[in-house]
């Protein structure tokens, strides 16, 4: 929608120029303000929309200025800067400053929660109002347009009030417990996903040499915010860092580090507190090979070709060496045989997979023809489409820096670039029309013939072979499995799950279809989060609350503390409950224990 809006702006400027209306700032710019309002709304859905900003800025530059190479580069950089500004200033810094003011108001002035948060945004609105008044008074039109755009983006961003309101109702499913501005800041900053190096950082073989305390961490109590520690960041030796690190994740809970090692033929020589220890670090060339071979080829180009060349099947495949599952194909056997082996030798169960879609590269070919047609006819609009394609596809690969062995296919993240390529497929029809016009002189006949040929070769063909595997009306295995898991448990059971994919179907079955509301579902992956542990003390549906050993304050404090356990007291055996109570009250990070005993109820 936002890309459509910038094209509407471009047409509105053309209409104004035809009507004799001159100037770089006219009523057409209301489309720009609408774009930023829609951007603000979209943040509450997905950040993908922000990646269209560089292409939008180029459209603006080409229409309002006389293009030059240097100017185009500056405009492109400006688009990237605006994208970064929205990502940091609008999404994170605004909430961070508002939450900091709320801490000051609550802790120092004894005000209610949210008063300082609201006061910050009132001050921000007054500031923006003054800027607009100054800009209008002094005919600073660009400043006025920018301030209006920023203001309307913030208005759209107010959609994030929804999780605040919802969380304060203590709903059964309350991710991150965003019932106050402090937790909202962690929520919008996606703190639960951690951080990763982009342009400069360490490899997975490196080990931290120190820990560095970051900003203060506060937790909401009944009437105040309590400081429970600081954010903790690992520090690595400069010798272990280099430019463009692609093999960076030293954790191995999903086999990430092992996947890197396998890719670069690195041997494991032991284990330590952080995981496997390796005999050497990967070279820069091996990092580059991983980027091209796995991140770019496997995690993007494969998905791209699924859509425009053909798909082998819908069996998830996390390993490029697996030629049987989830690869892209063309349907042209001799071409597929070169890459994947003879597809005719596949088992019947896989050959008849509904997602075995042979598109014969026809959508890809038509799109490439459309790209060449646009490049030949209008280099400026070709650059805009190419930027939209790049930033919603390859740029995401550069930013995400995906670790190996992903738990599921990630094609949904790149749908923006597929949209962009579809523009070229449409323009490819004009290329075919131009080709036919060399043989047929009647323009109506060539247009009709080109339209019919392209219609049946691409969209009709795609619909014919892909409809069955895109039809989800009968795909009920997810809810069936969730119901089976829940119904197999005894009354008032505790069901422990691992990760989102295991948990969400169970939550759906309980909350929507009221299947076994007596069972408490606990997501093991979230148990390092204080908000998730504290939610166990709620009574949910027919499930009783947990009787927690630690208080919420102790949970928040101890999750920030690292402990070292040694075996100096060899003859001591400690009850688990007493051990945990003692641990919560200790001020030292070193704890001596030999063994733990835990009394349990006998089961008949």
């Amino acid at each position: 929608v936002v890309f459509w809006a910038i094209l509407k702006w471009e047409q509105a400027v053309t209409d104004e120029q035809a009507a004799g209306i001159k100037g770089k700032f006219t009523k057409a710019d209301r489309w720009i303000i609408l774009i930023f309002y829609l951007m603000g709304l979209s943040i509450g859905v997905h950040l993908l929309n922000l990646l269209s900003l560089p292409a939008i800025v180029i459209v603006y530059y080409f229409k309002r200025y006389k293009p030059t190479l240097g100017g185009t580069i500056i405009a492109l950089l400006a688009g990237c800067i605006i994208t970064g500004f929205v990502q940091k200033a609008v999404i994170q810094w605004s909430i961070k400053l508002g939450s900091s003011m709320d801490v000051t108001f609550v802790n120092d002035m004894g005000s209610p929660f949210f008063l300082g948060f609201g006061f910050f945004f009132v001050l921000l609105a007054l500031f923006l109002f003054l800027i607009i008044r100054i800009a209008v008074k002094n005919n600073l039109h660009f400043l006025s347009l920018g301030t209006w755009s920023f203001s309307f983006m913030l208005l759209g961003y107010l959609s994030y009030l929804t999780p605040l309101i919802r969380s304060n109702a203590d709903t059964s499913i309350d991710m991150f417990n965003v019932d106050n501005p402090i937790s909202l800041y962690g929520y919008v900053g996606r703190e639960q996903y951690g951080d990763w190096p982009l342009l400069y950082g360490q490899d997975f073989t490196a080990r931290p040499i120190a820990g560095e305390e970051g900003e203060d961490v506060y937790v909401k109590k009944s009437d105040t915010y309590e400081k429970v520690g600081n954010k903790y960041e690992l520090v690595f030796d400069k010798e272990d860092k280099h430019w463009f690190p692609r093999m960076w994740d030293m954790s191995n809970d999903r086999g990430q580090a092992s996947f890197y090692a396998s890719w670069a033929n690195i041997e494991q020589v032991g284990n330590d507190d952080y995981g496997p220890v390796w005999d050497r670090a990967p070279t820069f060339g091996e990092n580059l090979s991983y980027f091209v071979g796995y991140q770019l080829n496997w995690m993007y180009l494969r998905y791209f070709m699924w859509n425009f060349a053909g798909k082998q099947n819908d069996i998830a495949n996390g390993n490029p060496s697996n030629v049987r599952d989830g690869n892209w194909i063309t349907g042209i056997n001799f071409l597929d045989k070169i890459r994947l082996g003879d597809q005719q030798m596949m088992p019947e169960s896989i050959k008849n997979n509904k997602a075995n879609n042979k598109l014969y590269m026809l959508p890809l070919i038509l799109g490439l023809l459309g790209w060449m047609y646009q490049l030949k006819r209008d280099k400026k609009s070709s650059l805009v489409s190419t930027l939209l394609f790049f930033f919603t596809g390859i740029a995401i690969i550069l930013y995400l820096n995906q670790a190996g062995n992903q738990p599921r296919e990630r094609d949904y993240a790149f749908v923006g670039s597929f949209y962009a390529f579809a523009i070229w497929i449409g323009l490819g029809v004009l290329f075919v029309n131009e080709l036919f016009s060399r043989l047929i002189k009647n323009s109506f006949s060539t247009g009709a013939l080109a339209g019919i040929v392209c219609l049946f070769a691409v969209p009709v063909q795609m619909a014919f072979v892909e409809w069955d595997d895109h039809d989800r009306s009968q795909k009920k295995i997810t809810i069936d499995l969730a119901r089976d898991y829940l119904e197999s448990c005894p009354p008032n059971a505790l069901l422990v799950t691992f990760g989102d994919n295991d948990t969400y179907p169970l939550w759906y079955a309980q909350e929507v279809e009221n299947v076994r509301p007596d069972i408490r579902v606990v997501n093991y992956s979230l148990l390092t989060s204080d908000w998730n542990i504290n939610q166990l003390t709620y009574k949910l549906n027919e499930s009783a609350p947990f009787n927690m050993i630690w208080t919420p304050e102790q949970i928040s404090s101890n999750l920030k503390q690292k402990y070292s356990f040694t075996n100096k007291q060899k003859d001591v055996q400690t009850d688990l409950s007493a051990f945990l109570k003692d641990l919560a009250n200790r001020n030292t990070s070193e704890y001596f224990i030999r063994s733990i005993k835990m009394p349990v109820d006998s089961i008949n």
Side-chain angles (χ1 to χ4, degrees), residues 404-512:
N405 204 21
Q406 289 289 311
R408 61 177 178 268
E409 303 290 14
R410 303 289 191 179
D411 50 310
Y412 56 86
F414 310 107
V415 67
S417 67
F418 305 157
Y419 289 162
F421 193 80
I423 295 173
W424 289 324
I425 289 180
L427 293 174
V429 180
L430 300 180
F431 180 95
V432 174
N433 177 69
E434 189 176 84
L435 197 65
F436 285 171
S437 66
R438 300 175 185 175
L439 304 174
I440 304 172
K441 299 306 179 183
N442 186 290
S443 60
F444 177 81
S445 299
T446 56
L449 182 61
I452 293 172
V453 168
C454 293
L455 178 69
F456 280 92
V458 177
V460 170
Q461 160 74 356
M462 294 174 76
F464 181 76
V465 300
E466 294 182 330
W467 189 273
D468 54 354
D469 57 294
H470 285 72
D471 176 13
R472 298 185 178 185
S473 62
Q474 300 304 315
K475 291 188 176 182
K476 299 179 179 179
I477 188 171
T478 305
I479 183 59
D480 287 344
L481 282 174
R483 189 180 291 108
D484 290 343
Y485 275 127
L486 292 169
E487 294 290 3
S488 69
C489 295
N492 305 309
L494 168 65
L495 181 56
V496 181
T497 63
F498 183 83
D500 299 347
N501 293 349
D502 294 343
T503 311
Y504 290 166
L506 301 174
W507 280 345
Y508 167 82
Q510 287 186 311
E511 300 300 322
V512 179

Side-chain angles (χ1 to χ4, degrees), residues 159-168 174 177-179 184 187:
S159 62
Y160 258 98
L161 290 176
T162 305
L164 275 174
I165 297 169
R166 183 181 181 277
S167 187
N168 272 280
D174 188 9
N177 193 31
V178 285
D179 62 351
L184 179 64
Y187 181 68

Side-chain angles (χ1 to χ4, degrees), residues 3 6 21 44 120 130 145 239 265 271 296 321-323 327 360 373 395 423 449 451 463 479 543 584:
F3 195 73
I6 196 61
I21 301 173
F120 167 78
L130 290 175
L145 177 62
E239 294 184 358
N265 292 318
N271 289 278
L296 193 59
S321 63
N322 179 355
V323 298
N327 293 277
Y360 307 104
Y373 179 85
I423 295 173
L449 182 61
I479 183 59
S543 170

